[in-house]
């Protein structure tokens, strides 16, 4: 599952739109039923309108009615690991909960639980 999801994230990376930062990101989130949704970063000249790859991936899944997730994989076109930004951690926590987060860089693969990356989350309860 881990390799499959990372491969999907690398596929998403190929269509990233990142002319301003030059930093291309791909993500793939897998549901508990095994369906995969991909996302890439989409930048806009009005920079605040840019979207992260993780946000695109989970938004695609949510808008298809998906509500339960197992893991997300995130890769960039640079050699180092691409940790999700703070707002994506919050978004993932709200809609996916404590899923696995897989990151791949030149040094290999790192696997976290989202709760490790997002301790003491702000949540509805
Ligand atoms: N980016 C992501 O897509 N995901 C992250 O977790 C971190 C940052 C994107 C946003 C922007 O297009 C570029 O990377 C540089 O910040």
């Amino acid at each position: 599952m881990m390799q499959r999801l990372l491969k999907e994230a690398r596929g998403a990376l190929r269509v990233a739109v990142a002319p301003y930062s030059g930093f291309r990101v791909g993500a793939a989130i897998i549901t508990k039923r095994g369906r995969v949704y991909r996302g890439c970063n989409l930048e806009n000249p009005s920079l605040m309108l840019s979207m992260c790859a993780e946000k695109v991936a989970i938004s695609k899944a949510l808008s298809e009615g998906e509500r339960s997730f197992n893991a997300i994989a995130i890769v960039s076109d640079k050699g180092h690991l691409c940790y999700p930004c703070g707002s994506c951690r919050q978004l993932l926590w709200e809609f996916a909960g404590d899923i696995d987060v897989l990151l791949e860089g030149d040094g290999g693969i790192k696997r976290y639980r989202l709760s490790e990356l997002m301790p003491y989350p702000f949540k509805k309860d």
Side-chain angles (χ1 to χ4, degrees), residues 18 21 23 25 41 43 50-54 74 82-85 88:
S21 70
F23 187 70
V25 185
N41 57 334
E43 295 183 353
S50 299
M51 285 185 283
C52 289
E54 302 90 318
I74 307 161
C82 180
Y83 286 85
C85 76
C88 284

Side-chain angles (χ1 to χ4, degrees), residues 27-68:
I29 191 163
I30 188 164
T31 67
K32 287 202 169 135
R33 291 183 300 148
R35 186 125 193 233
V36 173
Y37 294 84
R38 294 173 169 200
C40 61
N41 57 334
L42 301 171
E43 295 183 353
N44 188 282
S46 176
L47 294 176
M48 288 176 68
L49 297 181
S50 299
M51 285 185 283
C52 289
E54 302 90 318
K55 183 177 184 178
V56 173
I58 195 167
S59 300
K60 283 170 67 179
L62 291 168
S63 64
E64 292 300 321
E66 303 289 358
R67 290 295 183 269
S68 52

Side-chain angles (χ1 to χ4, degrees), residues 49-107:
L49 297 181
S50 299
M51 285 185 283
C52 289
E54 302 90 318
K55 183 177 184 178
V56 173
I58 195 167
S59 300
K60 283 170 67 179
L62 291 168
S63 64
E64 292 300 321
E66 303 289 358
R67 290 295 183 269
S68 52
F69 301 94
N70 259 342
I72 187 165
I74 307 161
V75 298
S76 82
D77 63 349
K78 306 287 182 272
H80 53 75
L81 301 173
C82 180
Y83 286 85
C85 76
S87 66
C88 284
R89 293 180 199 202
Q90 179 71 36
L91 191 65
L92 290 168
W93 186 268
E94 175 66 14
F95 290 109
D98 198 12
I99 56 172
D100 281 326
V101 180
L102 312 173
L103 310 177
E104 187 180 42
D106 288 347

